[in-house]
């Protein structure tokens, strides 16, 4: 395949990674900022429970978030992925434009073909050796960076997916206490209720960390928080786009090596 075709493929992958990582970061940050102060009220002093992922339910009916480090790692990984994707998009976009302009210039100005003897330096060494080594070195460095990003996004996607499932399994106990179920209803909620429904209970029934004031009661707000978001939908979108971003970086790494 021609070099221009390889540049176009890598530019397309860069754009896809940029869109996927940016959208995933926006969805995740929207959820994290919404629950940032809401799940930390009952947390012990030694911990920082401002992360929705890996939440924990207590026997007394309380629920706290997971360690903030998990959310920080996912958020920073997605933002780093978006930054690298933006850089590669600009790089390959400029390269594609410059190559196209150079190709038109070559068609307009027909230069005489120089023989190997004319292009060879006086000392007998090949003049293309050093640039070729430099290009291969830059390509290898870029491939290593892309491989590291693919590995990092793979780990971040696992953390995000497992954190979503872990919080869902823990919040089931809160749903049971809300509904005060018994008998087969317990098995129904535990085994048949989807995580989307469990997170819906969290969106509408999770009490705020701050005490409800008379002003909020007078305003007849159904939820003491300022608004109600769809936590499950935003997290699922972030998870899907995060895994898609991981796949794009893996393909990008192989394309960078293949089109070197």
């Amino acid at each position: 395949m021609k070099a221009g075709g390889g540049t176009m493929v890598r530019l397309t992958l860069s754009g896809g990674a940029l869109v996927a990582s940016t959208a995933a970061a926006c969805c995740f940050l929207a959820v994290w900022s919404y629950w940032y102060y809401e799940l930390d009220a009952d947390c012990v002093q030694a911990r920082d429970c401002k992360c929705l992922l890996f939440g924990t339910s207590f026997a007394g009916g309380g629920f706290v978030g997971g360690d903030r480090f998990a959310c920080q790692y996912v958020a920073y990984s997605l933002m780093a992925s978006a930054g690298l994707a933006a850089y590669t998009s600009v790089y390959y976009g400029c390269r594609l434009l410059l190559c196209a302009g150079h190709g038109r210039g070559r068609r307009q100005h027909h230069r005489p073909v120089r023989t190997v003897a004319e292009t060879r330096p006086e000392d007998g060494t090949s003049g293309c050796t050093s640039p070729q080594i430099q290009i291969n070195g830059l390509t290898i460095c870029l491939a290593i960076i892309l491989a590291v990003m693919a590995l990092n996004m793979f780990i971040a996607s696992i953390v995000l997916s497992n954190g979503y499932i872990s919080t869902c399994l823990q919040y089931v106990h809160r749903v049971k206490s809300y509904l005060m179920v018994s008998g087969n209803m317990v098995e129904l909620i535990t085994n048949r209720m989807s995580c989307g429904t469990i997170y819906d209970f969290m969106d509408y029934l999770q009490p705020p960390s701050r005490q409800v004031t008379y002003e909020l009661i007078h305003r007849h707000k159904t939820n003491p928080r300022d608004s109600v978001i769809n936590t499950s939908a935003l997290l699922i979108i972030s998870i899907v786009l995060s895994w898609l971003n991981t796949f794009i970086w893996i393909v990008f790494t192989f394309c960078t090596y293949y089109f070197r």
Side-chain angles (χ1 to χ4, degrees), residues 91-109:
Y91 173 75
Y92 286 111
C94 294
R95 183 176 177 180
L96 185 64
L97 293 176
L98 292 176
C99 289
H102 181 67
R104 288 193 296 268
R106 291 183 61 183
R107 287 192 297 268
Q108 294 175 359
H109 303 283

Side-chain angles (χ1 to χ4, degrees), residues 5-172:
T7 303
M8 178 61 70
V9 171
R10 284 176 284 188
L11 179 60
T12 303
L13 292 173
S14 299
L18 178 60
V19 173
S21 56
T22 302
C26 291
C27 292
F28 180 74
L29 290 175
V31 174
W32 187 23
S33 61
Y34 181 83
W35 293 104
Y36 188 79
Y37 293 107
E38 300 297 327
L39 303 177
D40 194 43
D42 299 327
C43 190
V44 296
Q45 296 294 330
R47 291 185 58 196
D48 190 352
C49 308
K50 292 185 174 67
C51 181
L52 179 64
L53 306 177
F54 301 102
T56 304
S57 293
F58 295 109
F63 182 84
V64 297
D67 198 310
R68 186 172 59 174
F69 173 76
C71 285
Q72 287 178 335
Y73 176 71
V74 173
Y76 291 153
S77 296
L78 291 173
M79 288 187 288
S81 175
L84 181 60
Y87 169 77
T88 53
S89 297
V90 173
Y91 173 75
Y92 286 111
C94 294
R95 183 176 177 180
L96 185 64
L97 293 176
L98 292 176
C99 289
H102 181 67
R104 288 193 296 268
R106 291 183 61 183
R107 287 192 297 268
Q108 294 175 359
H109 303 283
H110 299 282
R111 295 183 178 180
V113 179
R114 302 176 64 184
T115 62
V116 177
E118 293 174 343
T119 58
R120 182 173 300 172
E122 296 180 357
D123 57 357
T125 59
S126 176
C128 297
T129 302
S130 179
Q132 186 67 25
I133 294 176
Q134 183 179 4
I135 293 175
N136 288 337
L138 293 175
T139 303
I140 292 174
C141 291
L142 180 59
I144 292 175
I145 294 174
L146 296 177
V148 171
M149 179 56 68
L151 177 61
N152 181 70
M153 283 307 307
F154 178 74
I155 298 174
S157 300
I158 292 177
V159 172
L160 182 57
S161 302
N162 289 345
Y164 173 85
I165 297 174
S166 177
T167 298
C168 172
L169 296 178
Q170 286 292 317
Y171 206 79
V172 168

Side-chain angles (χ1 to χ4, degrees), residues 185-201:
M185 288 293 293
V186 176
E187 298 297 326
L188 172 64
I189 295 175
T190 303
N191 300 326
R192 298 298 180 89
M193 193 170 287
S194 65
C195 283
T197 305
I198 297 298
Y199 277 100
D200 288 340
F201 277 95

Side-chain angles (χ1 to χ4, degrees), residues 178-253:
Y178 289 145
L179 301 179
M180 295 182 291
V181 295
S182 61
N184 290 334
M185 288 293 293
V186 176
E187 298 297 326
L188 172 64
I189 295 175
T190 303
N191 300 326
R192 298 298 180 89
M193 193 170 287
S194 65
C195 283
T197 305
I198 297 298
Y199 277 100
D200 288 340
F201 277 95
M202 176 185 290
D203 292 335
Y204 284 93
L205 300 181
Q206 174 66 22
S209 59
R210 58 187 181 275
Q211 186 177 3
V212 180
T213 62
Y214 289 105
E215 180 184 358
L216 293 175
I217 297 175
H218 180 70
R219 289 161 58 183
H220 301 287
K221 295 183 64 176
T222 57
N223 192 313
R225 288 182 290 272
D226 295 331
S227 60
V228 177
I229 65 172
N230 195 332
T231 301
S232 178
L234 291 174
L235 285 179
I236 289 177
I237 293 174
S238 183
I239 291 171
V240 172
L241 292 178
S242 179
W243 282 108
L244 176 61
N245 196 24
T246 303
F247 176 75
I248 291 176
W249 286 123
I250 294 174
V251 176
F252 202 164
T253 303

